[in-house]
Amino acid sequence: MNKSNSKKNMPTILILAVAAFVMLLAATIALFLTVEDFSRLFSVSNFTCRGDVYFYDGSTASAAVKNADGMISVDYRNPTSGNFIENLKVNVKYSGYGVGLIRVRVVEEWSQTSGGTKTVMPYTLKMPYTISSPYESSSGNQKKWFDNRDADNFYYFAAPVYSSADTEVSIPLIIGFVADEIDLGVISSSAALNIAVEADAVQVNRYPQFWGINSLPWTNALSAVSEDISG
């Protein structure tokens, strides 16, 4: 046997072995990523969640119209306006059989416009919305809204939910507003108020990744116990 030829073949065999290992590792990683992405998208697509905003004065309902910025104009001074803030209603529309967690943020923008230029005002008021079913002082999951605005500006529906209905289920959130609790003295009389409602739902076991929180904010929250909201 030619020893010199044997020594020359050894590096070639080693290179081929390394290349084969790298190709196998790359294929395994690609498969893992594909499965992970598919699983995540499939799970999230099991349900949908959106905010439904309108005004109702007790007899007439008015649709909430978005402006060019995608926000809704709200009148906070004139009780006869169709979009008066005390008539504000916000429902969350939820559908699908997947178990999810829901949270909602109401963004308020105070601004003034002069010479065609809009200036956003630095008002930071905690708006006294009237909530349909506020979370009670007792702990645990409840089909009610937990006001966590002091911490992160969100309302959380305090239970993982699913819907066995074949149509959207409406969950009332905001049913009114206590205008007398706003100190109008700190707000310019020419300031305009626009709001945006952001409803967000996430797969029940993925809230740390998507919401960036380590635990649900209501006391003794149970992420493994879900409620049917269609009944």
Side-chain angles (χ1 to χ4, degrees), residues 32-53:
F32 172 78
L33 292 176
T34 301
V35 171
E36 172 66 17
D37 287 346
F38 175 80
S39 175
R40 180 176 64 83
L41 293 173
F42 179 81
S43 298
V44 171
S45 66
N46 281 342
F47 54 80
T48 61
C49 178
R50 63 184 180 88
D52 178 35
V53 185

Side-chain angles (χ1 to χ4, degrees), residues 14-182:
L14 180 60
I15 292 172
L16 290 174
V18 171
F21 175 78
V22 170
M23 291 176 64
L24 178 61
L25 179 62
T28 303
I29 293 175
L31 178 61
F32 172 78
L33 292 176
T34 301
V35 171
E36 172 66 17
D37 287 346
F38 175 80
S39 175
R40 180 176 64 83
L41 293 173
F42 179 81
S43 298
V44 171
S45 66
N46 281 342
F47 54 80
T48 61
C49 178
R50 63 184 180 88
D52 178 35
V53 185
Y54 63 99
F55 298 90
Y56 182 66
D57 62 5
S59 60
T60 304
S62 303
V65 180
K66 293 182 179 180
N67 58 28
D69 295 329
M71 304 192 78
I72 299 165
S73 175
V74 177
D75 191 319
Y76 60 94
R77 291 184 180 273
N78 184 4
T80 63
S81 297
N83 62 338
F84 184 51
I85 196 166
E86 286 191 6
N87 301 330
L88 178 67
K89 314 293 180 187
V90 176
N91 297 328
V92 175
K93 300 287 189 176
Y94 185 93
S95 63
Y97 301 104
V99 178
L101 291 162
I102 301 171
R103 69 178 184 177
V104 178
R105 180 172 66 164
V106 182
V107 180
E108 298 95 11
E109 178 193 79
W110 301 88
S111 63
Q112 288 183 301
T113 302
S114 177
T117 301
K118 183 176 79 172
T119 302
V120 176
M121 309 300 291
Y123 300 137
T124 56
L125 304 176
K126 184 177 180 181
M127 304 293 272
Y129 297 113
T130 303
I131 305 304
S132 62
S133 300
Y135 186 82
E136 298 171 352
S137 57
S138 57
S139 65
N141 288 5
Q142 300 172 26
K143 290 195 284 186
K144 299 178 183 295
W145 292 99
F146 180 80
D147 187 351
N148 202 48
R149 288 181 297 167
D150 287 340
D152 61 9
N153 294 316
F154 282 97
Y155 294 100
Y156 289 79
F157 197 70
V161 297
Y162 66 95
S163 171
S164 60
D166 293 328
T167 57
E168 281 188 324
V169 176
S170 184
I171 310 173
L173 171 56
I174 294 175
I175 58 175
F177 189 89
V178 186
D180 292 341
E181 293 187 8
I182 293 183

